[in-house]
Amino acid sequence: MVLDWGFILQHTYMFYDAFWLTLEISSIGIILAIIIGFLCALCLSFKPIFFLTRLSALYVEVARNTPLLIQLFFLYFGLSKVGLHISAFWCAIIGVAFLGGGYMCESFRAGLQSVGKAQKESALSIGLSRFDIVRYVIFPQALGVCMPSLAANVIFLIKETSVVGIIALADILYVSKDIIMMYAKTYEALFMLLCAYLVILLPLSLVFSFIERTIKQRL
């Protein structure tokens, strides 16, 4: 198999808008997922209100056990049947945030619960408030524990955005399929798709590895 490098160089521009669309959906969705996951992890770890604890547990189970594809169908096609119309762009972001929040919650919860009870009691004994205990004692240690799984979740969610083309969003996979259909250049399209994901994911992987090493050195 010999790739047509001339074709690849001439049609790389087709991935430009799709590349930034994938990054935009991923970044907004992942930020929201981290916020949702952290709040749910706090509810499940500290159980402040019974209703919120049960609601968080239910949400995590639903989010982790339903595929993003089904969630997108529900958001884009299902909700429109009851008069709630959401654009494809925001359906994709909500879907990524909803799915990711469940996984982020489990990562944060594992980190929060890894901190020993003795440390929490010691912090209470010196007069720290519960907020200060979470901020200064629990969270720094929890972050070191959960960072590897958080990084894995971020990379997982970016790869999951490959299904947003099902609701007519022209992400990089969507553009790859267009190139295959228009020019019958399957290997070239797949090679460009591979390169596009590597450009996004490889630097992220290196950054997370650096952050993880830095946190471990400071603990």
Side-chain angles (χ1 to χ4, degrees):
M1 181 190 69
V2 179
L3 294 176
D4 186 344
W5 294 103
F7 177 87
I8 291 172
L9 293 174
Q10 290 174 7
H11 292 83
T12 300
Y13 75 92
M14 295 180 67
F15 280 83
Y16 182 80
D17 290 336
F19 179 86
W20 289 110
L21 176 66
T22 299
L23 271 184
E24 191 173 7
I25 292 171
S26 300
S27 56
I28 298 174
I30 288 169
I31 290 170
L32 293 175
I34 290 172
I35 295 171
I36 294 169
F38 184 65
L39 293 176
C40 288
L42 289 177
C43 290
L44 292 173
S45 298
F46 300 106
K47 300 177 174 57
I49 302 173
F50 177 79
F51 171 74
L52 289 179
T53 302
R54 299 302 298 170
L55 185 63
S56 297
L58 176 63
Y59 158 70
V60 170
E61 291 301 318
V62 173
R64 283 165 53 88
N65 291 288
T66 52
L68 179 58
L69 185 64
I70 304 302
Q71 295 171 10
L72 292 177
F73 272 127
F74 174 76
L75 290 168
Y76 191 68
F77 299 108
L79 292 182
S80 64
K81 296 296 184 181
V82 295
L84 184 58
H85 299 280
I86 305 175
S87 69
F89 176 77
W90 282 106
C91 281
I93 289 175
I94 294 169
V96 171
F98 184 85
L99 175 71
Y103 285 93
M104 295 296 182
C105 174
E106 290 300 288
S107 296
F108 280 121
R109 183 163 66 155
L112 291 171
Q113 293 180 350
S114 69
V115 181
K117 186 178 179 180
Q119 295 190 50
K120 301 173 188 176
E121 292 174 347
S122 299
L124 281 172
S125 69
I126 61 174
L128 290 180
S129 66
R130 292 190 178 275
F131 176 79
D132 286 338
I133 292 172
V134 172
R135 181 180 177 185
Y136 296 112
V137 178
I138 298 175
F139 185 70
Q141 296 180 71
L143 192 60
V145 173
C146 68
M147 181 54 68
S149 60
L150 287 178
N153 288 339
V154 169
I155 292 173
F156 162 73
L157 290 173
I158 293 174
K159 291 188 288 187
E160 278 291 290
T161 60
S162 60
V163 303
V164 301
I166 199 69
I167 54 174
L169 282 173
D171 70 318
I172 52 182
L173 180 60
Y174 188 96
V175 170
S176 298
K177 292 188 290 186
D178 273 355
I179 291 175
I180 292 172
M181 288 187 292
M182 288 187 297
Y183 302 104
K185 294 285 189 178
T186 303
Y187 296 114
E188 286 77 7
L190 293 177
F191 177 78
M192 288 189 281
L193 176 65
L194 173 66
C195 290
Y197 273 114
L198 281 176
V199 168
I200 297 173
L201 297 175
L202 191 57
L204 265 180
S205 180
L206 295 174
V207 168
F208 278 122
S209 296
F210 173 76
I211 293 173
E212 184 181 344
R213 289 195 304 271
T214 302
I215 291 174
K216 286 183 177 180
Q217 288 171 0
R218 292 184 178 181
L219 288 178

